[in-house]
Amino acid sequence: RLGRRSSMLYMDGLFILAAFILTLAPNYTMILTGRFVAGCASGISLVAAVSYLTELATAENRGALVSTVEASISLGFLVSYLASYALTVTIEYEEGWRMLFGAGTGLLAFVQWMGMKRMPESPEWLAEQGFHDKAHAALRRITPRSNLEGNDESSLAERVAEVEAEVLGLDEQRVPL
């Protein structure tokens, strides 16, 4: 089974494939194919991103992070409409839409792919798979230094214990997603 991070990386690859299909599409059928591939990658990536953020965030920050994703999607719609309008007004090229689909989709997928390559897999997923040492290392990477008060391994160990309790279903306060 793939982790959330791995799923997002593979979906970025599909986005880049969709960008090539859309940029080079010789006919309407290929445009539809490219849009279908981009739509599937978008849907899967969105679910994986929300799951990833939910697993990374502490309980206090979880709602704000997921809400930020939803707000970012709305902002993305606005930016894409503005970019589309700008391309149609400023470029005297009949097939300028190819630049919007190809460059827009491909460039954003590449930026996300580069960012996700630097992120660890979700500690919850790692613990669920039995990789407890890797889960501990991932928690260390994502926990802000200000929350660790020097070399406070006990707070990190408590967070690992929380994650393991959630994975094993021992946490009574866990709210199902």
Side-chain angles (χ1 to χ4, degrees):
R1 192 174 96 145
L2 291 176
R4 312 314 177 241
R5 175 184 172 268
S6 301
S7 297
M8 289 172 54
L9 289 170
Y10 282 118
M11 291 308 105
D12 289 334
L14 271 183
F15 271 127
I16 292 170
L17 173 66
F20 280 120
I21 292 171
L22 288 166
T23 302
L24 305 173
N27 56 38
Y28 186 65
T29 304
M30 288 305 289
I31 293 169
L32 290 179
T33 302
R35 292 295 292 158
F36 179 77
V37 171
C40 289
S42 175
I44 294 169
S45 185
L46 178 61
V47 170
V50 170
S51 297
Y52 183 74
L53 287 174
T54 300
E55 291 176 0
L56 286 183
T58 60
E60 301 85 36
N61 298 328
R62 198 167 291 148
L65 266 172
V66 173
S67 295
T68 302
V69 170
E70 299 302 323
S72 297
I73 291 168
S74 297
L75 179 64
F77 284 140
L78 175 64
V79 170
S80 72
Y81 286 130
L82 293 175
S84 178
Y85 176 74
L87 277 176
T88 58
V89 170
T90 59
I91 295 180
E92 295 290 331
Y93 179 55
E94 265 185 42
E95 297 191 9
W97 59 270
R98 290 179 188 272
M99 290 181 359
L100 180 64
F101 279 140
T105 304
L107 179 66
L108 293 176
F110 182 72
V111 167
Q112 180 175 306
W113 183 80
M114 290 298 290
M116 286 308 297
K117 288 292 285 181
R118 298 176 52 93
M119 294 297 294
E121 187 59 75
S122 139
E124 189 170 324
W125 184 83
L126 289 168
E128 191 175 277
Q129 301 301 312
F131 301 116
H132 300 288
D133 291 339
K134 288 182 180 181
H136 193 271
L139 273 173
R140 177 178 290 289
R141 272 192 69 196
I142 63 171
T143 302
R145 302 223 187 281
S146 61
N147 292 2
L148 286 179
E149 294 133 19
N151 255 344
D152 188 7
E153 288 291 322
S154 64
S155 64
L156 197 58
E158 287 173 19
R159 179 73 176 120
V160 170
E162 273 178 39
V163 168
E164 289 173 353
E166 285 181 20
V167 167
L168 297 173
L170 302 175
D171 185 16
E172 289 109 27
Q173 296 180 0
R174 184 173 186 196
V175 178
L177 298 174

